[in-house]
Amino acid sequence: QLQLVESGGGLVQPGGSLRLSCAASGFTLDYYAIGWFRQAPGKEREGISCTSRSGGSTNYADSVKGRFTISRDNAKNTVYLQMNTLKPEDTAVYYCAAGRISCGSYYFPFSGEYDYWGQGTQVTVSS
């Protein structure tokens, strides 16, 4: 069974950090670009970052640029999202997705291009 599982969410104070993980089972991530998305209550799903298959190219939404870092360890079949300087407006359910698509500084895939999705992990930033 092909599956993506996110973990690492939780409650954190403003200014704090969290690291989300996206682990794949049933398939290898080597051939897939990975994206991170988030959805806050009452808002549309927002693409916030992506990484190419090799990890050599990445892209970030303006809302997280300079605070979030995406990375991948293909040997562990896992992609990470390091989130620093968290703000209350970062509160959302965070999802990872995999697709045989391109990601880079020149292109940010939209959600419909991804093939597989995780179930999401809740991140709450509050004092």
Side-chain angles (χ1 to χ4, degrees), residues 5-113:
V5 178
E6 302 95 337
S7 61
L11 173 64
V12 63
Q13 292 187 342
S17 298
L18 282 175
R19 189 177 80 158
L20 304 184
S21 298
C22 171
S25 61
F27 67 109
T28 177
L29 289 181
D30 293 34
Y31 304 107
Y32 293 84
I34 304 298
W36 282 98
F37 293 77
R38 67 185 181 186
Q39 189 165 20
K43 294 189 176 181
E44 292 187 355
R45 187 169 294 187
E46 173 191 17
I48 56 174
S49 185
C50 68
T51 177
S52 61
R53 287 173 291 178
S54 68
S57 296
T58 58
N59 206 339
Y60 298 92
D62 288 343
S63 57
V64 305
K65 198 171 294 183
R67 300 187 298 123
F68 290 12
T69 303
I70 190 170
S71 62
R72 63 191 300 159
D73 186 340
N74 286 346
K76 294 184 178 180
N77 223 23
T78 302
V79 175
Y80 304 97
L81 186 68
Q82 178 67 42
M83 307 188 296
N84 298 328
T85 320
L86 283 161
K87 305 175 182 179
E89 50 264 43
D90 294 318
T91 296
V93 178
Y94 283 70
Y95 301 88
C96 64
R100 290 183 178 250
I101 53 181
S102 297
C103 159
S105 58
Y106 57 92
Y107 187 68
F108 204 126
F110 61 93
S111 60
E113 297 184 73

